Amino acid sequence: MTEPLTLDDLVNDAAFYSWEHQEHLIDLTEQLGEHRFQVDLNARRLDLLGAGTLSTTLGMLGSTSERLGTWLWGWANPSGFAPEVTAMSLRVAEFGRQHGIRELTDAEIPLTPDLAPRLTEAAKVVTRCWTGYSFAAGPGTRVHLLIDGPELALPAPNLPRTVRVIGEALTNGLVRDHRRALLSYAHLRRLRTKADGSTVRLRLPEGVLTVTFDSLGRIGGMSGEMVGRGAA
């Protein structure tokens, strides 16, 4: 890396691609109808059980405690989980040491309202595991996971969904560099881009999405055009 990385950079890099994965998980759970979850941390397995079963493997990132007011990384959890369970959190810590990002290396961090989502987003970039899941493990305590499985792979991108993903992801308040977030999404989705001043065009399978930025670098508008496959 030629430039220093910050936690904000990682959050921006994850933002839209991560949101699309979470939306895909919601779509899958809606197909299950009324469902429950079944988790076995030591077996690294999370199952969502309803009209069918969605089975995933998991990695434990960390846990939050309202009583203590902290985030605790999985590798520092005193419960002594198997190394495979907390391996993802260790990868994140090593990445944090390499790039001087203390939030990724300190075992315990004071809790703020957006800390768990921000750390989870950063961990997704480091691990390339893009779907998160959390569950209550007691009063005021939540366990935060990353999960993976064949069914969690995204379908091919399409214009309406991409517009919706970008628009909705901007509402969570985590994205601080809109252009970086958009270009990262295009890279992760393998979409060709063409930038021209305050405009970035993304080439999708069935059309082109034109994204315009305002004077503060924020996404100010999006418009889609259905075009033939030969267009740039």
Side-chain angles (χ1 to χ4, degrees), residues 159-178:
L159 194 52
R161 185 180 182 90
T162 300
V163 171
R164 178 165 61 87
V165 163
I166 293 171
E168 290 179 352
L170 289 174
T171 66
N172 68 10
L174 298 182
V175 184
R176 298 179 183 177
D177 186 334
H178 291 197

Side-chain angles (χ1 to χ4, degrees), residues 91-125:
R91 285 172 60 187
V92 174
E94 178 58 29
F95 184 94
R97 283 190 287 272
Q98 291 173 0
H99 296 276
I101 306 174
R102 286 197 58 184
E103 297 95 332
L104 305 185
T105 61
D106 290 352
E108 201 164 13
I109 308 168
L111 198 58
T112 59
D114 65 353
L115 181 65
R118 281 164 53 76
L119 294 181
T120 300
E121 296 291 84
K124 290 180 178 183
V125 176

Side-chain angles (χ1 to χ4, degrees), residues 123-194:
K124 290 180 178 183
V125 176
V126 175
T127 63
R128 292 300 194 256
C129 185
W130 293 101
T131 307
Y133 192 89
S134 70
F135 64 90
T141 300
R142 293 196 73 82
V143 174
H144 298 266
L145 312 172
L146 292 182
I147 59 175
D148 198 10
E151 292 176 89
L152 300 180
L154 291 179
N158 66 68
L159 194 52
R161 185 180 182 90
T162 300
V163 171
R164 178 165 61 87
V165 163
I166 293 171
E168 290 179 352
L170 289 174
T171 66
N172 68 10
L174 298 182
V175 184
R176 298 179 183 177
D177 186 334
H178 291 197
R179 182 179 287 267
R180 180 178 182 125
L182 181 69
L183 293 177
S184 174
Y185 175 76
H187 172 73
L188 291 164
R189 263 309 208 170
R190 296 186 172 92
L191 304 176
R192 286 186 293 162
T193 62
K194 182 181 291 186

Side-chain angles (χ1 to χ4, degrees), residues 18-226:
S18 168
W19 188 276
E20 189 167 15
H21 277 81
Q22 297 305 135
E23 287 295 298
H24 182 52
L25 177 62
I26 291 172
D27 291 343
L28 292 174
T29 56
E30 286 179 348
Q31 294 173 21
L32 296 176
E34 186 175 348
H35 64 278
R36 61 185 177 87
F37 76 92
Q38 182 173 287
V39 63
D40 185 334
L41 289 177
N42 285 320
R44 298 185 59 230
R45 183 180 178 93
L46 172 76
D47 294 331
L48 300 176
L49 309 169
T53 300
L54 175 61
S55 295
T56 69
T57 57
L58 66 84
M60 178 182 176
L61 284 184
S63 57
T64 52
S65 169
E66 293 180 5
R67 181 179 65 84
L68 298 175
T70 59
W71 164 284
L72 180 68
W73 282 104
W75 57 264
N77 194 295
S79 298
F81 295 105
E84 295 82 4
V85 178
T86 58
M88 283 188 179
S89 67
L90 279 170
R91 285 172 60 187
V92 174
E94 178 58 29
F95 184 94
R97 283 190 287 272
Q98 291 173 0
H99 296 276
I101 306 174
R102 286 197 58 184
E103 297 95 332
L104 305 185
T105 61
D106 290 352
E108 201 164 13
I109 308 168
L111 198 58
T112 59
D114 65 353
L115 181 65
R118 281 164 53 76
L119 294 181
T120 300
E121 296 291 84
K124 290 180 178 183
V125 176
V126 175
T127 63
R128 292 300 194 256
C129 185
W130 293 101
T131 307
Y133 192 89
S134 70
F135 64 90
T141 300
R142 293 196 73 82
V143 174
H144 298 266
L145 312 172
L146 292 182
I147 59 175
D148 198 10
E151 292 176 89
L152 300 180
L154 291 179
N158 66 68
L159 194 52
R161 185 180 182 90
T162 300
V163 171
R164 178 165 61 87
V165 163
I166 293 171
E168 290 179 352
L170 289 174
T171 66
N172 68 10
L174 298 182
V175 184
R176 298 179 183 177
D177 186 334
H178 291 197
R179 182 179 287 267
R180 180 178 182 125
L182 181 69
L183 293 177
S184 174
Y185 175 76
H187 172 73
L188 291 164
R189 263 309 208 170
R190 296 186 172 92
L191 304 176
R192 286 186 293 162
T193 62
K194 182 181 291 186
D196 181 16
S198 61
T199 300
V200 175
R201 289 160 56 89
L202 278 61
R203 181 66 167 91
L204 287 100
E206 78 281 57
V208 172
L209 173 62
T210 300
V211 182
T212 57
F213 295 83
D214 64 19
S215 60
L216 298 177
R218 301 170 303 194
I219 291 176
M222 293 185 284
S223 61
E225 179 186 4
M226 307 297 284

